[in-house]
Structures are given as C-alpha cells and as structure tokens.
C-alpha cells in the first residue's frame, strides 16, 4: 500500500483547480473582444465586421472614418441594440475571413456585402436579408453598344483575380468576352475610364458604390442586367440570440425610412435602382 501525504495531495488539488480556472479564463480572452456576445463585460463596446475597401458599401477613409451602406445599416442596428456610434469597434472582414471571425467570436456581427448561401449557413447564421443585389456590369455612360448581356461578346470584360462573376459571364452568357483580370476593382475602373476596358462585372451594389464616388460621378452607368441574385445578410454566430434582435432592428429601419435614405445616400449618384427592401427570412433564388 502507498500512503499519500495529505499536504501534498491538498496542494495537487489546488494546483489542478487553478489550472482549470486559468484554462477557462484564457478561453474567454481567446473568444475575442466582441461587444454583445453573451457573458462578457465589454464596457459597452460592440465589434462589427465590415469591408474596408468597398466605396459605397464599406470603406475606411484616410482620416480613419467609415462610410458606406453597410456601415449605415450596422450603425443603425448597433443603436437598436443599445450602442452609440462611439461604442462601435470596426473590424475589417475580408471575404475569406468572415466565417472564422464569427466562429472565433472576434466580432459580434458582420455587415460586409455578405451573400446568404447554403454553404455559409452551415457555419454561421444570418439575419435579414437587408439588400437584394444582382450581378451586373458597369460601362461608360456614353457607351450604347452594350444593351444586352450578349453584347458583351468580343468586349473586354474586367473583374478581380479569382472572381466568379467574370467566369459566370464567360461560361454562361457571353463566351466570346475577352476576360481581363486585375488585382482590384479600382484598376478596372481606371481601365474603363481610359477605354482599355469595356465593362466591369460584380454585384451591382458594389459597382454603384464605386461609380458614386465624386471623381467618377456621371462617367459610368449600370447595365441593369440582373445576372444573379445576391441576398445580403447580417452574419452572426451559429445559434446567436442576436439574430432575432437584428431582424427586429432591420424591420424598424425599413419602416421608419432610414433604409431608403441609406440606399439613396450611398448608391443614388450612380443611378442605382435598388430592389425594394427584402422581407426578413425570404432569400430570393
């Protein structure tokens, strides 16, 4: 028989208990500094994921402020959740990082031209949708040669490297389109302005955002082709109680006219005719 030293046993028990507490504490910190996730004292802050590089949608300006439709929507939601604009911590949510940001708890919710898809719904939940966008093309305002999607045949079509939008056009709509892939939409816009490119394709809301910038006002127009349906939703953690609260906020935003004001403010200069505000929970295929 091995006799245990009572003092040593008690010390071991205390050490194990301390390790467990430390483990839970560390896990809490690793969960991220988001604002409205359950069980956290965050000092009233709320962390929201947005795009930093999409004018009209989500843009971080040189002076450190944030503008765009998603920013306005997120600010409205945050207010309905009890947070002033000064309480919002904006975090960049690149397309490839969005699910991970939510799953880790790095953000409370994401408003970043985030299309609701079955694959994404396996990993996160969505409130909304709050905007129905469509794949479209942007062309020069004085170009009357592209009136239908098939007119893109033999035209120089630009999109960003790795985009599925341009491939969708080339494989399904205009197989003879001359695909040009650039590093960013800003480069496509420069090419379009200079006549090197004939058209740019991606979501119409994103195109309208770029075209609405002061330096491009009146230079471009949307084709209005509606090549796909993109239901923008607010991403939250799987099972989060925020989903219902955000849906309530979105319904109020539409009812009091704030949604329409945000649309006109961010997309109006490009002549973007947005679809009516979508019904909560209705995803258009």
């Amino acid at each position: 028989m091995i006799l245990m030293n009572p003092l040593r046993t008690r010390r071991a028990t205390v050490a194990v208990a301390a390790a467990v507490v430390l483990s839970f504490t560390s896990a809490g910190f690793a969960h991220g500094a988001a604002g409205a996730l359950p069980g956290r004292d965050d000092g009233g802050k709320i962390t929201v994921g947005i795009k930093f590089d999409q004018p009209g949608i989500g843009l971080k300006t040189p002076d450190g402020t944030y503008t765009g439709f998603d920013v306005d929507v997120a600010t409205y939601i945050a207010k309905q959740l009890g947070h002033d604009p000064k309480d919002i911590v904006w975090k960049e949510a690149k397309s490839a990082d969005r699910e991970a940001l939510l799953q880790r708890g790095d953000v409370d919710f994401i408003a970043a031209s985030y299309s609701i898809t079955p694959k994404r719904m396996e990993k996160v939940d969505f409130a909304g949708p709050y905007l129905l966008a469509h794949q479209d093309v942007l062309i020069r305002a004085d170009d009357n040669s592209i009136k239908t999607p098939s007119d893109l045949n033999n035209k120089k079509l630009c999109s960003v490297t790795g985009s599925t939008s341009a491939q969708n056009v080339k494989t399904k709509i205009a197989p003879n389109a001359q695909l040009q892939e650039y590093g960013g939409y800003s480069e496509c816009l420069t090419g379009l302005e200079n006549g090197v490119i004939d058209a740019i394709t991606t979501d119409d809301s994103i195109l309208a955002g770029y075209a609405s910038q002061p330096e491009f006002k009146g230079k471009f127009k949307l084709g209005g082709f509606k090549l796909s349906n993109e239901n923008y939703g607010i991403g939250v953690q799987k099972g989060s109680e925020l989903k219902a609260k955000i849906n309530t906020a979105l319904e109020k935003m539409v009812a009091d006219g704030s949604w329409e004001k945000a649309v006109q403010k961010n997309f109006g200069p490009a002549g973007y005719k947005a679809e009516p505000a979508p019904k909560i929970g209705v995803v258009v295929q």
Side-chain angles (χ1 to χ4, degrees):
M1 172 183 276
I2 300 177
L3 298 177
M4 300 296 293
N5 185 319
L7 181 58
R8 181 177 298 171
T9 301
R10 187 163 57 251
R11 286 175 178 171
T13 302
V14 171
V16 170
V20 171
V21 171
L22 180 60
S23 174
F24 277 112
T25 303
S26 298
F29 283 114
H31 191 56
L37 294 175
R40 285 232 303 279
D41 180 9
D42 50 34
K45 298 293 184 182
I46 186 168
T47 303
V48 180
I50 59 169
K51 290 293 181 67
F52 277 15
D53 59 353
Q54 288 184 345
I57 300 288
L59 180 70
K60 182 178 181 180
T61 65
D63 64 2
T65 57
Y66 301 88
T67 65
F69 181 71
D70 283 350
V71 174
D72 291 342
V73 170
T75 301
Y76 188 98
I77 291 170
K79 185 176 181 180
Q80 296 304 306
L81 294 175
H83 299 274
D84 291 330
K86 62 180 176 59
D87 296 328
I88 302 174
V89 177
W90 301 106
K91 188 175 183 68
E92 185 173 19
K94 296 180 179 179
S95 295
D97 300 334
R98 290 176 297 201
E99 284 84 40
L101 287 170
L102 289 168
Q103 290 173 329
R104 290 196 304 261
D106 293 341
V107 294
D108 292 292
F109 65 85
I110 287 178
S113 54
Y114 202 1
S115 295
I116 301 172
T117 67
K119 185 176 180 180
R120 289 169 178 165
M121 290 174 67
E122 294 175 0
K123 299 178 180 179
V124 301
D125 282 344
F126 286 97
Y130 65 95
L131 184 72
L132 176 58
H134 306 281
Q135 184 185 340
D136 201 354
V137 297
L138 190 71
I139 57 181
R140 287 182 293 278
D142 60 356
D143 186 351
N144 296 314
S145 66
I146 302 176
K147 297 179 180 180
T148 67
S150 62
D151 291 334
L152 293 168
N153 280 306
N154 301 314
K155 297 290 188 180
K156 294 178 180 177
L157 179 67
C158 188
S159 195
V160 298
T161 303
S163 168
T164 58
S165 298
Q167 291 294 342
N168 182 48
V169 171
K170 190 166 177 62
T171 58
K172 299 178 182 179
I173 299 165
N176 293 324
Q178 300 173 33
L179 179 58
Q180 308 286 319
E181 291 185 308
Y182 289 178
Y185 289 114
S186 295
E187 297 172 53
C188 287
L189 279 165
T190 300
L192 184 62
E193 185 177 23
N194 296 334
V196 178
I197 295 299
D198 297 310
I200 307 170
T201 186
T202 187
D203 294 358
D204 53 6
S205 57
I206 296 174
L207 294 172
Y210 276 105
S212 294
Q213 299 308 290
E215 64 269 31
F216 297 129
K217 191 173 182 179
K219 294 183 178 181
F220 308 120
K221 63 183 178 182
L222 290 162
F225 296 156
K226 298 184 178 181
L227 302 175
S228 71
N229 294 322
E230 305 296 335
N231 299 268
Y232 288 2
I234 305 294
V236 298
Q237 273 190 350
K238 200 74 174 171
S240 173
E241 63 185 24
L242 280 180
K243 177 179 176 179
K245 295 179 180 179
I246 291 174
N247 279 335
T248 298
L250 290 173
E251 289 174 339
K252 183 176 180 181
M253 186 177 188
V254 173
D256 67 17
S258 298
W259 183 90
E260 182 63 30
K261 288 180 181 178
V263 167
Q264 294 304 319
K265 169 188 169 186
N266 293 289
F267 305 131
Y272 174 59
K273 295 179 176 60
E275 296 277 5
K279 293 183 179 180
I280 299 300
V282 177
V283 176
V284 179
Q285 301 300 324

PDB file of all heavy atoms in Angstrom, residues 92-103:
ATOM      1  N   GLU A  92     -12.024  44.893 -39.912  1.00  0.00           N
ATOM      2  CA  GLU A  92     -12.070  44.501 -41.310  1.00  0.00           C
ATOM      3  C   GLU A  92     -12.487  43.042 -41.446  1.00  0.00           C
ATOM      4  O   GLU A  92     -11.949  42.165 -40.777  1.00  0.00           O
ATOM      5  CB  GLU A  92     -10.724  44.723 -41.986  1.00  0.00           C
ATOM      6  CG  GLU A  92     -10.754  44.441 -43.476  1.00  0.00           C
ATOM      7  CD  GLU A  92      -9.472  44.826 -44.199  1.00  0.00           C
ATOM      8  OE1 GLU A  92      -8.434  44.967 -43.528  1.00  0.00           O
ATOM      9  OE2 GLU A  92      -9.519  44.991 -45.437  1.00  0.00           O
ATOM     10  N   ALA A  93     -13.454  42.807 -42.317  1.00  0.00           N
ATOM     11  CA  ALA A  93     -13.938  41.453 -42.560  1.00  0.00           C
ATOM     12  C   ALA A  93     -13.762  41.128 -44.031  1.00  0.00           C
ATOM     13  O   ALA A  93     -14.671  41.332 -44.842  1.00  0.00           O
ATOM     14  CB  ALA A  93     -15.402  41.333 -42.148  1.00  0.00           C
ATOM     15  N   LYS A  94     -12.580  40.648 -44.382  1.00  0.00           N
ATOM     16  CA  LYS A  94     -12.340  40.244 -45.767  1.00  0.00           C
ATOM     17  C   LYS A  94     -13.192  39.023 -46.088  1.00  0.00           C
ATOM     18  O   LYS A  94     -13.535  38.242 -45.205  1.00  0.00           O
ATOM     19  CB  LYS A  94     -10.857  39.940 -45.975  1.00  0.00           C
ATOM     20  CG  LYS A  94      -9.950  41.147 -45.788  1.00  0.00           C
ATOM     21  CD  LYS A  94      -8.491  40.782 -46.015  1.00  0.00           C
ATOM     22  CE  LYS A  94      -7.595  42.002 -45.845  1.00  0.00           C
ATOM     23  NZ  LYS A  94      -6.159  41.676 -46.041  1.00  0.00           N
ATOM     24  N   SER A  95     -13.517  38.865 -47.349  1.00  0.00           N
ATOM     25  CA  SER A  95     -14.439  37.810 -47.756  1.00  0.00           C
ATOM     26  C   SER A  95     -14.025  36.429 -47.238  1.00  0.00           C
ATOM     27  O   SER A  95     -14.848  35.665 -46.737  1.00  0.00           O
ATOM     28  CB  SER A  95     -14.558  37.768 -49.288  1.00  0.00           C
ATOM     29  OG  SER A  95     -15.136  38.957 -49.766  1.00  0.00           O
ATOM     30  N   ALA A  96     -12.750  36.119 -47.328  1.00  0.00           N
ATOM     31  CA  ALA A  96     -12.279  34.783 -46.939  1.00  0.00           C
ATOM     32  C   ALA A  96     -12.233  34.582 -45.430  1.00  0.00           C
ATOM     33  O   ALA A  96     -12.110  33.446 -44.961  1.00  0.00           O
ATOM     34  CB  ALA A  96     -10.886  34.540 -47.521  1.00  0.00           C
ATOM     35  N   ASP A  97     -12.353  35.675 -44.660  1.00  0.00           N
ATOM     36  CA  ASP A  97     -12.188  35.593 -43.208  1.00  0.00           C
ATOM     37  C   ASP A  97     -13.505  35.645 -42.440  1.00  0.00           C
ATOM     38  O   ASP A  97     -13.512  35.474 -41.217  1.00  0.00           O
ATOM     39  CB  ASP A  97     -11.300  36.739 -42.713  1.00  0.00           C
ATOM     40  CG  ASP A  97      -9.916  36.714 -43.324  1.00  0.00           C
ATOM     41  OD1 ASP A  97      -9.465  35.624 -43.710  1.00  0.00           O
ATOM     42  OD2 ASP A  97      -9.290  37.795 -43.415  1.00  0.00           O
ATOM     43  N   ARG A  98     -14.614  35.886 -43.123  1.00  0.00           N
ATOM     44  CA  ARG A  98     -15.846  36.214 -42.408  1.00  0.00           C
ATOM     45  C   ARG A  98     -16.341  35.105 -41.477  1.00  0.00           C
ATOM     46  O   ARG A  98     -16.687  35.367 -40.314  1.00  0.00           O
ATOM     47  CB  ARG A  98     -16.931  36.622 -43.418  1.00  0.00           C
ATOM     48  CG  ARG A  98     -16.633  37.962 -44.062  1.00  0.00           C
ATOM     49  CD  ARG A  98     -17.632  38.365 -45.139  1.00  0.00           C
ATOM     50  NE  ARG A  98     -17.642  37.448 -46.276  1.00  0.00           N
ATOM     51  CZ  ARG A  98     -18.107  37.775 -47.477  1.00  0.00           C
ATOM     52  NH1 ARG A  98     -18.590  38.994 -47.688  1.00  0.00           N
ATOM     53  NH2 ARG A  98     -18.092  36.900 -48.454  1.00  0.00           N
ATOM     54  N   GLU A  99     -16.387  33.862 -41.966  1.00  0.00           N
ATOM     55  CA  GLU A  99     -16.878  32.780 -41.112  1.00  0.00           C
ATOM     56  C   GLU A  99     -15.976  32.594 -39.888  1.00  0.00           C
ATOM     57  O   GLU A  99     -16.456  32.401 -38.773  1.00  0.00           O
ATOM     58  CB  GLU A  99     -16.974  31.464 -41.889  1.00  0.00           C
ATOM     59  CG  GLU A  99     -18.152  31.373 -42.821  1.00  0.00           C
ATOM     60  CD  GLU A  99     -17.882  32.034 -44.167  1.00  0.00           C
ATOM     61  OE1 GLU A  99     -16.772  31.882 -44.690  1.00  0.00           O
ATOM     62  OE2 GLU A  99     -18.790  32.707 -44.692  1.00  0.00           O
ATOM     63  N   ALA A 100     -14.671  32.663 -40.102  1.00  0.00           N
ATOM     64  CA  ALA A 100     -13.735  32.468 -38.993  1.00  0.00           C
ATOM     65  C   ALA A 100     -13.881  33.564 -37.949  1.00  0.00           C
ATOM     66  O   ALA A 100     -13.801  33.300 -36.740  1.00  0.00           O
ATOM     67  CB  ALA A 100     -12.299  32.431 -39.521  1.00  0.00           C
ATOM     68  N   LEU A 101     -14.085  34.798 -38.375  1.00  0.00           N
ATOM     69  CA  LEU A 101     -14.258  35.912 -37.431  1.00  0.00           C
ATOM     70  C   LEU A 101     -15.466  35.670 -36.527  1.00  0.00           C
ATOM     71  O   LEU A 101     -15.412  35.935 -35.317  1.00  0.00           O
ATOM     72  CB  LEU A 101     -14.439  37.228 -38.196  1.00  0.00           C
ATOM     73  CG  LEU A 101     -13.202  37.816 -38.874  1.00  0.00           C
ATOM     74  CD1 LEU A 101     -13.592  38.978 -39.776  1.00  0.00           C
ATOM     75  CD2 LEU A 101     -12.174  38.268 -37.843  1.00  0.00           C
ATOM     76  N   LEU A 102     -16.531  35.164 -37.107  1.00  0.00           N
ATOM     77  CA  LEU A 102     -17.734  34.892 -36.319  1.00  0.00           C
ATOM     78  C   LEU A 102     -17.544  33.683 -35.414  1.00  0.00           C
ATOM     79  O   LEU A 102     -17.917  33.708 -34.235  1.00  0.00           O
ATOM     80  CB  LEU A 102     -18.925  34.667 -37.247  1.00  0.00           C
ATOM     81  CG  LEU A 102     -19.449  35.913 -37.970  1.00  0.00           C
ATOM     82  CD1 LEU A 102     -20.423  35.523 -39.069  1.00  0.00           C
ATOM     83  CD2 LEU A 102     -20.114  36.873 -36.984  1.00  0.00           C
ATOM     84  N   GLN A 103     -16.955  32.635 -35.946  1.00  0.00           N
ATOM     85  CA  GLN A 103     -16.794  31.412 -35.167  1.00  0.00           C
ATOM     86  C   GLN A 103     -15.867  31.618 -33.976  1.00  0.00           C
ATOM     87  O   GLN A 103     -16.077  31.028 -32.914  1.00  0.00           O
ATOM     88  CB  GLN A 103     -16.286  30.287 -36.069  1.00  0.00           C
ATOM     89  CG  GLN A 103     -17.326  29.809 -37.077  1.00  0.00           C
ATOM     90  CD  GLN A 103     -16.768  28.806 -38.078  1.00  0.00           C
ATOM     91  OE1 GLN A 103     -15.598  28.845 -38.442  1.00  0.00           O
ATOM     92  NE2 GLN A 103     -17.607  27.887 -38.532  1.00  0.00           N
TER      93      GLN A 103
END
